[in-house]
Amino acid sequence: MTVAGVDRAAGPAERIAGLHLLDTDVHHDLPSYDELRPFLAAEWHPWIAGGGPGFARRHYSNVKAHIFMDDVLREADGLGAGDPDWVVEQLIRKYRIDVGVLTGTGLGVALGHNPRFCAALASAYNDWTLEKWVRPHACFKGSIVVTPQDPSAAAREIHRLGDDPGIVQVLVPSGAMLPYGQRHYWPIYAAAVEHDLPIAVHVGGEGTSIAGPPTAVGYPSSYLEFHTDNSQSMMAHCASLVTDGAFEEFPSLRFGFVEGGVCWAPYVMWRLDRCYPALKAEVPYLKHLPSEYILDHCYFSTQPIEEPADHRHLLQMFEMLRAERTVVFASDYPHWDFDNPLTAFSFFPAELRRRIFVDNVLAFYGPRLLGPST
Amino acid sequence: MTVAGVDRAAGPAERIAGLHLLDTDVHHDLPSYDELRPFLAAEWHPWIAGGGPGFARRHYSNVKAHIFMDDVLREADGLGAGDPDWVVEQLIRKYRIDVGVLTGTGLGVALGHNPRFCAALASAYNDWTLEKWVRPHACFKGSIVVTPQDPSAAAREIHRLGDDPGIVQVLVPSGAMLPYGQRHYWPIYAAAVEHDLPIAVHVGGEGTSIAGPPTAVGYPSSYLEFHTDNSQSMMAHCASLVTDGAFEEFPSLRFGFVEGGVCWAPYVMWRLDRCYPALKAEVPYLKHLPSEYILDHCYFSTQPIEEPADHRHLLQMFEMLRAERTVVFASDYPHWDFDNPLTAFSFFPAELRRRIFVDNVLAFYGPRLLGPST
């Protein structure tokens, strides 16, 4: 199929000029683990017989009541986000999105206790995404979900799919055992840069399965509190990537922070920069100011975009973090706190909006985002 | 003794007009646990025979090399910050500080494994501070260090000293077992508000003793990383205090966040406010927007003040968090990242500087800050 804005016959420059919106965070739904069966190694079939694993659950009361946008819940057959045609209609066409990057609901594999099972499930999930969503629909691109708890398996999965034209990133959750800058993870980054794929950290998983509590001081009481606190793991990963030297080791590594908020980034940059001159003897392998690594390697997705009462404050914050090169659009469809691109950014200068909606997204993913998926 | 700017004979209005600078974070040093012996219950004397407890240690290499300002280390007899006269000379007079609130080095009692011993030690430490520092020197005021791991003991200590004219706050570390909004701690707040004392959370202790790891994703690798990450526990406490309803339960409760950075606060306020309308059914006991609780009850100390390359950005950030009512000055004497008040804030408008240096500090502590200590 052809989707508004993506005309495969057009040359790159013309095509780019014709783009309206690129969405870095579209959650396609897995209606049932049974759909993965054709893609899953046979030895694991008995293990999903009971309906699949229940990992990555949070226990904040009544969270289902607000997890989805009202119009995604279909009376007839459950969740519309499990149907590619529905998502094309309800998201892609409605909001004039050219390409939506699929982030799914499979991040739990990154935090499951059994890394072998999780690696098998990740492969099945990735193949299912490609076959059911990406190959038939030019408007979708896929992510490789992996098992950071077993970096060697994650690297193998990246090498297996890393050159697939339907794949544009490696996807991991913010919940983790260790900060993402640590050497434990470097085989994943070596594989990713070999295939010119960025890493996206999508918020989620804190306090579940093999991840520690969601904050340094334990468990939040409410989902409102949790939802605010869960940016902290993003900050920890960001500081770790810089200070552990991951960007020195992998100069072409790009890291996206998805759904973790944006306006904490100036604080983290300034705090690191403030301390770095006095402490650089401790990190002699760093060659630049910490903020330079962040500005050169990191991207921050918009949703859920902060909404200060005074619009000027958000624009000032965006200037502080050089949004014209670091911020990318995300809708988070079909979740309750979906950002409507037609209204959420209406007060932004057109040029900045264009950078966030199109140019920065292309810089993050590279040209593969606009190529064919078959 | 009389110190510049504090003339006990002057009336309040005149005295306030004559103030130059109030410092919320002066670390007086305990030269040896032996100094606590006269104040410590006899049954615990054998337990400090080995030199006192070793709690709250971090293991980032070579941290001693940068923990103190160069001119605090005295060749003759160790650390100058253990000598009140030295601190009067080197800090209070040199920088024209009217009153310095003593924050000491005793926060470890709040994270020790043995709460009975820690409660006894806290009492001894508080009495030692009053006798050695506060009573003889009108320029110093004291904090009550307590044991939040045992709120009933903490409340007893607050009731014991809470009306002492030399005491201006209750002091706890940011490292903790649980976020500070939780009901576990409410006996502490009930006692504090009864004596009209604010609570100050001073950064520190994450990852030590009974506290969890310093981030939601485990342990940082370097002190640079740790020092950036440790604001996250501050954010978690702030979000918890709001969402757990502590400020609804204690309408006069004032909370200070000391040495945890300032520029994360707009993000936390905006994130909470963004989600609150959709999630308020979960927290029906809240009556206001989350940011209103923060602006009405919370104070943020300046040091280590963020130093973006563009001064305008810091001023914008201060506008976002209503610094004219929420930010208070701290020097963090005698630590390596001490903020020199004569230079660090030179580009601030005079009116804002006055609020941060004097007016907000008085609002936080109340009139007791300027009264006699005996």
Side-chain angles (χ1 to χ4, degrees), chain B residues 2-293:
Chain B
T2 310
V3 169
V6 179
D7 178 353
R8 293 196 192 169
E14 279 172 41
R15 195 185 310 170
I16 292 171
L19 295 173
H20 295 103
L21 183 58
L22 304 168
D23 187 346
T24 62
D25 191 20
V26 178
H27 290 282
H28 63 308
D29 190 50
L30 177 69
S32 155
Y33 276 98
D34 288 338
E35 289 209 14
L36 298 187
R37 214 172 275 273
F39 307 99
L40 184 66
E43 61 183 349
W44 292 109
H45 283 211
W47 199 234
I48 63 165
F55 42 49
R57 293 280 178 266
R58 291 186 299 261
H59 296 88
Y60 296 97
S61 57
N62 208 23
V63 68
K64 277 245 165 184
H66 56 256
I67 207 165
F68 296 113
M69 299 161 70
D70 290 342
D71 61 2
V72 176
L73 297 165
R74 296 193 298 198
E75 278 187 29
D77 57 353
L79 198 61
D83 174 354
D85 292 326
W86 168 276
V87 177
V88 167
E89 207 54 51
Q90 293 294 310
L91 175 73
I92 302 292
R93 288 196 194 282
K94 185 169 175 183
Y95 298 102
R96 301 183 69 202
I97 291 169
D98 301 292
V99 183
V101 175
L102 300 172
T103 47
T105 58
L107 281 170
V109 297
L111 292 163
H113 292 94
N114 183 333
R116 290 176 186 82
F117 170 59
C118 289
L121 202 63
S123 293
Y125 189 87
N126 294 331
D127 286 341
W128 167 82
T129 293
L130 281 169
E131 178 145 326
K132 179 167 176 183
W133 290 77
V134 176
R135 306 269 186 249
H137 302 279
C139 59
F140 296 129
K141 287 291 185 181
S143 309
I144 305 177
V145 300
V146 295
T147 50
Q149 69 275 52
D150 180 354
S152 62
R156 276 198 303 277
E157 182 67 1
I158 294 167
H159 287 312
R160 186 176 75 86
L161 291 179
D163 291 331
D164 191 293
I167 290 294
V168 294
Q169 68 182 1
V170 175
L171 185 65
V172 293
S174 55
M177 298 185 300
L178 301 170
Y180 278 139
Q182 295 195 7
R183 199 174 290 262
H184 169 85
Y185 300 109
W186 289 13
I188 300 175
Y189 308 151
V193 300
E194 190 177 324
H195 298 278
D196 195 24
L197 291 173
I199 312 282
V201 188
H202 189 290
V203 84
E206 289 82 356
T208 68
S209 205
I210 60 172
T215 83
V217 294
Y219 290 84
S221 305
S222 63
Y223 187 68
L224 173 62
E225 184 183 358
F226 170 82
H227 194 276
T228 298
D229 284 343
N230 68 8
S231 309
Q232 291 167 22
S233 54
M234 293 294 208
M235 302 179 208
H237 290 311
C238 184
S240 169
L241 284 159
V242 172
T243 58
D244 276 311
F247 296 127
E248 277 295 331
E249 182 72 13
F250 303 104
S252 64
L253 182 61
R254 304 186 299 285
F255 239 87
F257 296 89
V258 181
E259 202 179 334
V262 170
C263 294
W264 51 263
Y267 170 72
V268 171
M269 289 196 293
W270 299 350
R271 179 87 169 192
L272 286 168
D273 282 0
R274 151 93 198 226
C275 300
Y276 174 69
L279 298 175
K280 62 185 176 184
E282 182 193 29
V283 285
Y285 46 89
L286 297 186
K287 306 301 177 200
H288 304 282
L289 260 183
S291 63
E292 293 175 24
Y293 291 108

Side-chain angles (χ1 to χ4, degrees), chain A residues 265-283:
Chain A
Y267 170 72
V268 170
M269 290 195 293
W270 298 350
R271 179 88 169 193
L272 287 168
D273 282 1
R274 150 94 198 225
C275 300
Y276 174 69
L279 298 175
K280 62 185 176 185
E282 182 193 29
V283 285

